[in-house]
Amino acid sequence: MRGSWIALALLSLTLVGCSGSGPSGPTGTVAGTLTKQGKTLTPETSIVFVHNESGAAAFGTTAEDGSYKIASPDSDQVPVGMYRVMIQPPASSLAAEEEPSPEELLDNPALSRPAKNQDEFSFKYRQLSTSGLQFEVTEGPNQIDIDLK
């Protein structure tokens, strides 16, 4: 779990360093809602869009109602094209994923179970290679509603 979050952070730092002064060429904006079978997820769930060709990344987090807006590091505009998408739990719940010590597990076996919000959606959505989520961003406003299974 922690490894995928670290990989996301490293990817972000790499892409921020390569991002230049914002998108060039045709751009669009992305907004929508993120739900699982029609129900909202924990607020501040992260959504990461990665451009299939350039590798440029854009990010957003959900609000209480499941709505989100995507922005690149320099702008709320993103280059048009196909994007692979991954979903990450809120950073606050990832920090709670610290492995308990064997002594702590003996004292409290409930610690071995993940936090409730960790079970909100399948682990497959946390990686670009397994999420199966791909969307096209076109010029102008894009409404992309994502409902996880």
Side-chain angles (χ1 to χ4, degrees), residues 53-78:
E53 292 179 21
S54 71
F59 310 87
T61 58
T62 59
E64 291 280 334
D65 64 357
S67 65
Y68 71 90
K69 291 181 182 177
I70 296 297
S72 69
D74 300 328
S75 170
D76 66 345
Q77 300 282 314
V78 298

Side-chain angles (χ1 to χ4, degrees), residues 48-60:
V48 182
F49 277 57
V50 178
H51 195 276
N52 285 359
E53 292 179 21
S54 71
F59 310 87

